[in-house]
């Protein structure tokens, strides 16, 4: 039987097991949506702390060189006619998914900017550091029926770091990915190429290579309930015509979906796909998603803008729809559960949170390989900070 937990799901760590020096474990966290249907929790408006870019060779650069500019086709005229299959597979350079990057790029940004964080080192010590995609998975968990997840958690200098672990099922699926699915992935990236320019006011150039190593990432801070958050997520483009040029409100998320012809197809789209789009864009404060609807031949023939804050309206009266409060309350409960479970400050100790659809979140404890994910270069540099005395500021003349 599942242990009864409070809604916050805060578990207690019991006495450490002396034989292997690993803590014995807390209860599990239930995921039933009915348990999380209270009022919407506090969520601080996300603010951008900085950004970084990854180039065609997946090398890190602490600047915005990979940022692209939203350049949609004119609204008057015949409408889009984008061939999403063009260039596949000869002008396609997919990222090597065997390379497990963990939090490395975000940690590099953090190392370079730790001195300038508003609130100082004390703020970071109380924060949760992760990727936006990991938080998205938490938000959608109460409604997810297909794919489970695993999140590794380590506490270091007070900060709780969360990094996804590829499940065995996800790995098997990735390695056996059918050609059609690979082509669909390409088509999503190709759509971005038709909709983005390299400079403000420029025109898209879909003749080039689609290289999915290239990424522009925004680094944001927010707070969910009592949990300060520092997270990073990939951004498709910025809109030079946006009412505010202040990130993240100038950012646009681009998506593709198959054309729909019946009310049943739309209902399914609103229940499942729109939930993921909402979670992904709401977290970083991206105001809208522009969707390209493709026909069976792979051509985008229509575009539709979905403002993030209006997505829930499509399912508000659907008994089997999703609720933003449930998503955010579950995420807050998970963060409380993780904060109270991971008490030992040790970068080599990992609490692995595992979840399969319709079950509770469970925890196991591990040390070092293969689950430890905070790199030595990061741990050593941050430890050096603690050991070295603060630099005396140079006098201002």
């Amino acid at each position: 039987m599942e242990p009864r937990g409070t809604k916050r799901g805060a578990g207690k760590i019991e006495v450490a097991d002396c034989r292997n020096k690993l803590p014995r474990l807390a209860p599990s966290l239930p995921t039933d949506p009915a348990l999380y249907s209270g009022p919407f929790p506090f969520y601080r408006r996300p603010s951008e702390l900085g950004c970084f870019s990854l180039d065609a060779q997946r090398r890190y650069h602490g600047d915005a060189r990979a940022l692209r500019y939203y350049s949609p086709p004119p609204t008057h005229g015949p409408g889009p006619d984008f061939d999403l299959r063009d260039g596949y597979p000869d002008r396609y350079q997919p990222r090597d998914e065997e390379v497990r990057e963990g939090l490395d790029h975000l940690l590099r940004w953090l190392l370079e900017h730790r001195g300038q964080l508003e609130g100082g080192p004390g703020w970071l010590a109380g924060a949760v550091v992760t990727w936006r995609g990991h938080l998205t998975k938490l938000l959608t968990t109460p409604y997810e029926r297909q794919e489970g997840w695993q999140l590794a958690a380590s506490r270091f200098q007070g900060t709780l770091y969360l990094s996804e672990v590829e499940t065995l099922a996800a790995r098997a699926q990735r390695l056996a990915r059918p050609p059609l699915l690979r082509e669909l992935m390409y088509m999503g990236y190709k759509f971005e190429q038709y909709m983005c320019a390299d400079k403000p006011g420029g025109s898209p150039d879909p003749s080039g290579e689609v290289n999915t190593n290239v990424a522009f990432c925004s680094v944001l801070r927010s707070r969910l309930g009592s949990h300060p958050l520092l997270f990073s997520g990939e951004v498709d483009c910025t809109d030079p015509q946006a009412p505010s040029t202040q990130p993240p409100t100038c950012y646009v998320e681009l998506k593709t979906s198959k054309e729909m012809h019946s009310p049943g197809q739309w209902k399914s789209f609103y229940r499942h796909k729109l939930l993921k789009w909402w979670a992904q864009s709401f977290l970083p404060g991206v105001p809208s998603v522009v969707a390209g609807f493709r026909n069976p031949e792979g051509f985008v023939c229509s575009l539709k803008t979905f403002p993030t804050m209006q997505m829930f309206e499509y399912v508000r009266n659907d008994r089997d729809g999703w609720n933003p409060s449930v998503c955010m309350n579950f995420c807050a409960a998970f963060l409380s559960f993780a904060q109270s479970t991971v008490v030992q400050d040790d970068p080599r100790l990992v609490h692995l949170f595992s979840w399969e659809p319709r079950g509770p979140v469970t925890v196991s404890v591990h040390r070092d390989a293969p689950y430890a994910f905070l790199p030595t270069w990061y741990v050593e540099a941050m430890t050096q900070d603690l050991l070295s005395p603060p630099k005396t500021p140079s006098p201002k003349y």
Side-chain angles (χ1 to χ4, degrees):
M1 199 177 85
E2 199 180 292
R4 280 186 305 162
T6 58
K7 189 167 141 182
R8 292 182 71 80
K12 302 280 189 295
I13 284 286
E14 292 164 19
V15 186
D17 186 333
C18 299
R19 284 165 305 177
N20 60 5
K21 295 285 187 291
L22 293 177
R24 281 210 308 272
L25 272 183
S28 55
L29 177 73
T31 60
D32 179 1
L35 298 171
Y36 301 100
S37 62
F40 198 86
F42 173 81
Y43 187 61
R44 181 190 192 267
R45 183 190 294 273
S47 54
E48 185 173 85
L49 298 175
C51 64
F52 58 88
S53 295
L54 304 174
D55 67 18
Q57 283 76 45
R58 205 68 179 170
R59 289 179 303 222
Y60 174 98
H61 303 273
D63 55 38
R65 69 183 66 188
L67 179 60
R68 292 172 300 173
Y69 298 85
Y70 183 58
S71 180
T75 45
H76 51 275
D81 185 30
F82 303 152
D83 180 2
L84 299 185
R85 288 192 166 128
D86 178 52
Y88 185 80
D90 44 303
R91 299 201 313 275
Y92 184 31
Q93 188 57 58
R95 179 174 79 80
D96 182 357
E97 294 176 89
E98 278 298 309
V99 178
R100 307 309 296 170
E101 295 172 336
L103 300 180
D104 290 13
H105 299 307
L106 174 54
L107 298 180
R108 176 147 178 204
W109 182 91
L110 198 48
L111 210 48
E112 288 175 6
H113 297 89
R114 63 198 187 280
Q116 296 108 56
L117 287 182
E118 191 189 327
W123 181 84
L124 186 61
V128 176
V129 171
T130 192
W131 286 111
R132 180 266 313 270
H134 302 357
L135 295 173
T136 301
K137 286 201 173 176
L138 290 171
L139 259 66
T140 59
T141 293
Y143 300 105
E144 178 59 44
R145 293 288 172 262
Q146 305 288 316
E147 292 170 15
W149 48 254
Q150 290 190 312
L151 279 177
S154 289
R155 192 178 293 284
F156 173 52
Q157 293 182 359
T159 307
L160 186 68
Y161 295 87
L162 299 176
S163 182
E164 190 177 11
V165 172
E166 188 177 37
T167 63
L168 290 173
R171 176 175 165 76
Q173 254 182 341
R174 172 171 63 81
L175 294 176
R177 193 179 287 148
L180 182 65
L181 200 53
R182 273 181 262 173
E183 192 170 4
L184 278 176
M185 289 173 70
Y186 170 83
M187 290 159 83
Y189 290 108
K190 186 69 185 178
F191 177 61
E192 296 173 20
Q193 209 180 50
Y194 280 108
M195 297 286 288
C196 298
D198 289 338
K199 52 182 191 293
S203 295
D205 175 16
S207 68
E209 183 181 62
V210 169
N211 186 322
T212 63
N213 287 296
V214 179
F216 168 78
C217 295
S218 170
V219 181
L220 303 119
R221 78 171 272 190
S222 183
R223 181 161 61 87
L224 172 54
S226 59
H227 306 288
L229 301 173
L230 188 153
F231 61 94
S232 177
E234 199 173 327
V235 169
D236 290 334
C237 56
T238 185
D239 182 1
Q241 308 289 306
S244 163
T245 53
Q246 183 74 28
T249 56
C250 54
Y251 292 150
V252 179
E253 180 67 34
L254 300 171
K255 295 288 188 191
T256 61
S257 197
K258 66 176 191 213
E259 269 184 338
M260 280 163 292
H261 303 286
S262 71
Q265 287 176 326
W266 278 106
K267 186 169 267 195
S268 175
F269 167 81
Y270 296 143
R271 278 180 189 170
H272 305 294
K273 196 165 268 196
L274 210 55
L275 163 60
K276 290 187 171 155
W277 292 5
W278 170 79
Q280 186 185 1
S281 296
F282 177 76
L283 281 164
V286 173
S288 61
V289 173
V290 175
F293 289 97
R294 61 173 193 275
N295 65 19
E297 290 70 53
F299 282 79
V300 164
C301 302
S302 67
L303 301 174
K304 184 173 168 64
T305 299
F306 293 91
T308 306
M309 299 309 274
Q310 290 170 31
M311 290 181 184
F312 173 52
E313 295 306 320
Y314 291 99
V315 292
R316 188 187 284 277
N317 300 316
D318 181 350
R319 206 169 44 86
D320 297 313
W322 47 275
N323 188 317
S325 298
V326 169
C327 299
M328 296 298 278
N329 284 325
F330 173 73
C331 188
F334 174 83
L335 295 174
S336 296
F337 179 55
Q339 288 282 20
S340 60
T341 301
V342 187
V343 289
Q344 207 170 313
D345 201 294
D346 180 350
R348 292 168 58 185
L349 184 69
V350 172
H351 284 72
L352 185 66
F353 293 87
S354 302
W355 177 75
E356 284 302 322
R358 295 184 171 81
V361 178
T362 58
V363 200
S364 58
V365 191
H366 309 267
R367 185 173 285 284
D368 296 327
Y371 293 112
F373 59 89
L374 290 173
T376 312
W377 54 261
Y378 181 74
V379 171
E380 286 179 353
M382 295 294 269
T383 306
Q384 201 51 48
D385 270 12
L386 279 187
L387 300 176
S388 55
K391 296 185 182 75
T392 49
S394 51
K396 291 190 175 72
Y397 294 105

